[in-house]
Amino acid sequence: MHYVEIVAMLVVVQYLFFIYQVGRARGRYGVKAPAVTGHERFERAYRVQMNTLELMVALLPALFVAARFWPATWVAAIGVVYLIGRFIYWRAYISAPSSRGLGFGLSMLPVMALLTMALAGAVLR
Amino acid sequence: MHYVEIVAMLVVVQYLFFIYQVGRARGRYGVKAPAVTGHERFERAYRVQMNTLELMVALLPALFVAARFWPATWVAAIGVVYLIGRFIYWRAYISAPSSRGLGFGLSMLPVMALLTMALAGAVLR
Amino acid sequence: MHYVEIVAMLVVVQYLFFIYQVGRARGRYGVKAPAVTGHERFERAYRVQMNTLELMVALLPALFVAARFWPATWVAAIGVVYLIGRFIYWRAYISAPSSRGLGFGLSMLPVMALLTMALAGAVLR
C-alpha cells in the first residue's frame, strides 16, 4: 500500500466531487455558463470548489515533497486530517458561509504542517 | 523519450495558450484588469482558462502517480486524449458555450481513468 | 540541501502569503464571503492571488520535471527569479494594476524557461 499516493488521489477525488456539486447547482438554480454568479446557493457551491482548488495546489506539492523526507504514514495521516477538514468545510459553507471557520482551519493546518516538514526536510537532510 | 513528462509539459503549454487567449480577449474587448466580466466573448475565453486550470490540477497529479504503477506509453496516451478533448472544448466554448459537452467529456474521462489507475496501483502494488 | 524542493516550497509559501492578504482585505474592505467583488482594493488583492495560482500550477510541474534532466542549482535559480518577479508583481498590482507588466514578465519568463528545459530534457535524454 502506497499511503501517500492513496491520500493524494483521494484529495483529487474529493475535489472532483465538489466540481460535480457545482455542476448540479448550476442546473438546479438556473445559472447558465459562463456566468458564475446569480444565485446565492450556486455561489456557495462554487466558492467551496474554488477554495478547495486554491488550497489543493498548495497541499499536493507539500505532501509529495514532505514524503521524500518523512515516513509515509505520518505524511498520509496529516493528509487525512485535510480530507476531513475539507468535508466539514463543505458541509458548513453550504448551510452558512459564516460557519466555515472550523473546516477551513482543519484543512489549512495540514497544509502548514506539511509545508514546514517539507522545508525542514529539504534544508536539513 | 520520456512520454509522460512530454505529455505533462504539453498539458501545461496548452494551458498557457488559453491564458494567452484571455490576455488577447482582454485587449480586444476592452475588459480592464482586475475586472473579469464585462463582455461575453472575454468571459468565454476566461471560463475556458479557468475550467482548464480546474481540471489540470486534477489531471497532472493523477498522471504522475499513475505513471509510477503503469506503463508510460499507456499513461501518456490517455494524457493525449485529454489534450485533444481540451482543444475541442476550447473551440466549442468560444463559438457556443452550450456545445461544450463533447470536449468536456473527452477531457474529464482521461482524468477519471488516470485517477482510477493511480488509486488501483497505489492500493494493489 | 535540496535546492529545487526548497524553492518549490517557498513558491507555495509566497502563494499562501497572497491568500492571507486576500483574507485581510476581505475584513478591511467589508467584502463578505462568498462575494469576490465589491471593493477595488479587495479585487486587486484577489486578482494577485488568482493570477499567482494560475501561474504556479504551470511553474511547479515544469520545475519538478526540469529538475529530472538539469542541474538542481540551475533549476532552483530560475525558480528564484519567479519568486522575485511575483513579489514585484504583487507590489505593483496593489498600488496600480496597470503597472504590473514588469513583475508579470519576470514571473512568466521563468515558467517559459523551465517548460522549455523540461520538454527538451524529456525529448532528448
Side-chain angles (χ1 to χ4, degrees):
Chain A
M1 295 276 274
H2 299 257
Y3 295 110
V4 172
E5 282 79 4
I6 292 171
V7 168
M9 292 303 100
L10 291 180
V11 165
V12 175
V13 167
Q14 185 186 48
Y15 165 70
L16 292 179
F17 170 76
F18 293 148
I19 287 187
Y20 172 72
Q21 294 295 322
V22 172
R24 280 185 64 197
R26 210 178 255 291
R28 186 178 293 168
Y29 305 116
V31 180
K32 281 211 168 55
V36 291
T37 53
H39 193 292
E40 168 77 16
R41 288 269 162 182
F42 170 80
E43 289 175 39
R44 288 182 192 179
Y46 184 65
R47 284 308 307 159
V48 170
Q49 177 203 314
M50 287 307 292
N51 189 274
T52 301
L53 164 59
E54 287 162 23
L55 215 51
M56 194 177 74
V57 296
L59 178 90
L60 288 179
L63 186 91
F64 284 120
V65 172
R68 293 189 190 179
F69 305 111
W70 302 90
T73 45
W74 297 14
V75 171
I78 297 172
V80 168
V81 175
Y82 165 91
L83 280 168
I84 296 167
R86 274 292 103 177
F87 184 80
I88 295 173
Y89 177 83
W90 169 61
R91 296 299 302 168
Y93 207 129
I94 289 299
S95 57
S98 60
S99 70
R100 70 190 187 280
L102 172 68
F104 183 80
L106 272 181
S107 44
M108 183 52 107
L109 273 177
V111 175
M112 300 294 199
L114 290 170
L115 207 46
T116 307
M117 287 165 70
L119 265 174
V123 170
L124 301 172
R125 294 197 179 188
Chain B
M1 297 275 274
H2 299 258
Y3 296 109
V4 172
E5 282 79 3
I6 292 171
V7 168
M9 292 303 99
L10 291 180
V11 166
V12 175
V13 167
Q14 185 186 48
Y15 164 70
L16 291 179
F17 170 75
F18 293 148
I19 287 188
Y20 172 72
Q21 295 295 322
V22 173
R24 280 184 64 197
R26 210 177 254 293
R28 187 178 293 168
Y29 305 115
V31 179
K32 279 210 168 57
V36 291
T37 52
H39 192 292
E40 169 77 16
R41 288 270 161 181
F42 170 79
E43 288 175 38
R44 287 181 191 180
Y46 184 66
R47 284 308 308 158
V48 170
Q49 178 203 313
M50 287 306 292
N51 188 274
T52 301
L53 164 60
E54 288 161 21
L55 215 52
M56 193 177 75
V57 297
L59 178 90
L60 288 179
L63 186 91
F64 284 121
V65 172
R68 292 188 191 181
F69 305 111
W70 302 89
T73 45
W74 297 14
V75 171
I78 296 172
V80 169
V81 175
Y82 165 91
L83 279 167
I84 296 167
R86 273 292 103 177
F87 185 79
I88 295 172
Y89 178 82
W90 169 61
R91 297 299 302 169
Y93 207 128
I94 290 298
S95 56
S98 60
S99 70
R100 70 190 187 280
L102 172 68
F104 184 79
L106 271 182
S107 45
M108 183 53 107
L109 273 177
V111 175
M112 301 292 200
L114 290 170
L115 207 45
T116 308
M117 287 165 68
L119 265 175
V123 170
L124 300 173
R125 296 200 178 187
Chain C
M1 296 276 275
H2 299 257
Y3 295 110
V4 172
E5 283 78 4
I6 292 171
V7 168
M9 292 303 100
L10 291 180
V11 166
V12 175
V13 167
Q14 185 186 48
Y15 164 70
L16 292 178
F17 170 76
F18 293 148
I19 288 188
Y20 172 72
Q21 295 295 322
V22 173
R24 281 184 64 197
R26 212 177 253 293
R28 186 178 295 168
Y29 305 115
V31 179
K32 280 211 167 56
V36 291
T37 52
H39 192 292
E40 169 78 16
R41 289 270 161 181
F42 170 79
E43 288 175 38
R44 287 181 192 179
Y46 184 65
R47 283 308 308 158
V48 170
Q49 177 203 314
M50 287 307 292
N51 188 274
T52 301
L53 164 60
E54 287 162 22
L55 215 52
M56 194 177 75
V57 296
L59 178 89
L60 288 178
L63 186 90
F64 284 120
V65 172
R68 292 189 191 179
F69 305 111
W70 302 89
T73 45
W74 297 14
V75 171
I78 297 172
V80 169
V81 176
Y82 165 91
L83 281 167
I84 296 167
R86 273 292 103 176
F87 185 79
I88 296 172
Y89 178 83
W90 169 60
R91 298 299 301 170
Y93 206 129
I94 289 298
S95 56
S98 59
S99 70
R100 70 191 187 280
L102 173 68
F104 184 80
L106 272 181
S107 44
M108 182 54 106
L109 273 177
V111 176
M112 300 294 200
L114 290 169
L115 206 47
T116 308
M117 286 166 69
L119 265 175
V123 171
L124 301 172
R125 296 199 178 188

